[in-house]
């Protein structure tokens, strides 16, 4: 509904297309590890597996562990990887004649890549959203898990599990729950918004000294009022980045 409202406000056309999943997606009964502290659990990976992690250090650490403890080579895909390298890694993983039979990736696998994945393994159900560590929501879990067993892939049935048995309860809950309708949309102020606000602060504010950027962003966030179906987002991350830039001439 929120997308429909935004389209109407912008004068754009809106069309809904509904797609049905053709292949079955099964939540496995057991996690990869027997306990949260078990080491070496990635020795149990199989060809067609995709391990999903949410930081580059974790991705490469898992890759090293798999290649050390199994005969399989790993491809890696993450968000900041250049598009041409990302596409090449996907091609290698999909090629049945290549030596690369396991994929270690971030949630970037849900962004326009066709991948022949048999099983998704969540390394963790928590990620940094730019402001704090949060547990994955239902929509994110379903989107990532849904990459397994895609139509026209060699695997007619997709599977999903977790490394940590502690995460299995949340996985089952997410996979059995309908995704809630998005009711509000986040807005991010542009540089021109912040610049205009800073000019007004200088002109009408109590102080005529030059404002530091992170303080201007904080004041903007405190004073901004949004009506209806919108809220201001990325406030803390923008303020943090601005604070880091103070020492740069």
């Amino acid at each position: 509904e929120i997308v429909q409202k935004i389209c109407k406000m912008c004068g754009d056309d809106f069309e809904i297309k509904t797609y049905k999943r053709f292949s079955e997606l099964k939540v496995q009964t057991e996690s990869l590890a027997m306990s949260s502290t078990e080491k070496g659990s990635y020795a149990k990976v199989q060809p067609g597996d995709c391990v999903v992690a949410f930081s580059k250090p974790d991705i490469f650490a898992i890759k090293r562990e798999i290649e050390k403890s199994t005969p399989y080579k790993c491809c890696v895909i993450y968000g900041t990887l250049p598009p041409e390298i990302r596409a090449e890694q996907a091609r290698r993983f999909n090629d049945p004649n290549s030596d690369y039979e396991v994929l270690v990736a971030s949630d970037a696998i849900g962004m326009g890549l066709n991948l022949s994945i048999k099983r998704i393994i969540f390394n963790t159900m928590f990620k940094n959203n730019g402001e704090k560590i949060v547990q994955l929501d239902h929509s994110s879990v379903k989107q990532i898990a849904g990459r397994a067993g895609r139509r026209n892939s060699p695997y007619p049935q997709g599977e999903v599990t977790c490394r940590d048995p502690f995460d299995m309860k949340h996985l089952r809950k997410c996979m059995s729950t309908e995704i809630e309708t998005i009711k509000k949309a986040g807005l991010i102020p542009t540089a021109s918004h912040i610049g205009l606000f800073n000019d007004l602060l200088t002109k009408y504010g109590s102080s005529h000294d030059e404002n530091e950027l992170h303080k201007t962003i904080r004041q903007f966030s405190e004073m901004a009022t949004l009506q209806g179906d919108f809220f201001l987002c990325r406030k803390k991350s923008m303020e943090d980045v601005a604070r880091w830039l103070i020492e740069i001439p």
Side-chain angles (χ1 to χ4, degrees):
E1 291 182 6
I2 184 63
V3 176
Q4 194 168 3
K5 289 179 181 179
I6 293 172
C7 288
K8 186 177 180 180
M9 292 170 61
C10 296
D12 294 325
D13 295 329
F14 182 82
E15 180 182 358
I16 297 177
K17 290 187 177 181
T18 303
Y19 297 92
K20 182 180 179 181
R21 184 182 174 93
F22 288 94
S23 58
E24 184 182 357
L25 181 60
K26 179 183 178 183
V27 178
Q28 293 192 312
T29 56
E30 295 183 353
S31 59
L32 206 65
M34 298 301 293
S35 70
S36 298
T37 57
E38 179 184 316
K39 295 182 179 181
S41 56
Y42 284 118
K44 303 174 187 176
V45 298
Q46 305 164 4
D49 279 351
C50 173
V51 181
V52 177
F54 299 104
S55 75
K56 196 158 78 168
D58 284 348
I59 288 172
F60 282 99
I62 293 166
K63 177 182 185 294
R64 287 192 297 270
E65 180 181 338
I66 292 172
E67 293 184 337
K68 183 177 180 180
S69 60
T70 74
Y72 309 126
K73 290 183 179 180
C74 299
C75 290
V76 295
I77 294 175
Y78 50 91
T80 58
L81 204 63
E84 60 275 11
I85 298 179
R86 210 183 312 176
E88 173 61 19
Q89 290 289 297
R91 185 197 65 76
R92 286 186 183 183
F93 177 69
N94 288 338
D95 184 354
N97 298 316
S98 82
D99 296 329
Y100 294 85
E101 298 181 278
V102 175
L103 178 64
V104 186
S106 71
D107 46 357
I109 58 169
M111 303 175 187
L113 290 172
N114 291 318
L115 297 162
S116 298
I117 296 171
K118 178 183 180 182
R119 177 173 64 167
I120 291 286
I121 302 168
F122 285 94
N123 179 58
T124 177
M125 280 288 181
F126 295 85
K127 68 174 290 186
N128 190 324
N129 68 357
E131 296 186 359
K132 58 183 178 180
I133 302 298
V134 297
Q135 193 170 39
L136 297 178
D137 59 28
H138 297 173
S139 178
S140 298
V141 170
K142 284 191 170 183
Q143 183 184 31
I144 297 168
R147 307 309 296 177
R150 304 286 286 185
R151 188 184 184 189
N152 298 325
S153 83
Y155 308 108
Q157 176 179 287
E159 298 175 327
V160 57
T161 189
C162 301
R163 183 200 65 81
D164 189 338
F166 177 80
D167 290 328
M168 291 298 292
K169 181 178 179 180
H170 184 63
L171 174 62
R172 294 189 188 100
K173 180 181 178 181
C174 289
M175 295 301 294
S176 62
T177 304
E178 289 296 323
I179 296 175
E180 294 182 5
T181 301
I182 298 174
K183 296 180 173 62
K184 292 192 174 186
L187 297 179
I188 302 175
T190 65
S192 60
H193 291 137
I194 300 299
L196 177 59
F197 179 73
N198 185 68
D199 291 343
L200 293 173
L201 279 180
T202 303
K203 185 175 181 179
Y204 299 108
S206 57
S207 173
H208 293 281
D209 296 333
E210 184 176 347
N211 293 316
E212 293 180 334
L213 179 58
H214 71 281
K215 293 181 179 179
T216 301
I217 292 174
R218 186 192 310 143
Q219 286 180 281
F220 183 93
S221 302
E222 292 171 350
M223 298 176 67
T225 302
L226 296 176
Q227 298 179 345
D229 303 308
F230 302 98
F231 62 92
L232 200 64
C233 61
R234 304 272 179 92
K235 298 174 288 187
K236 186 177 184 303
S237 58
M238 290 176 65
E239 186 180 333
D240 288 343
V241 170
R243 188 179 289 107
W244 297 335
L245 295 174
I246 291 175
E247 302 301 325
I248 298 178

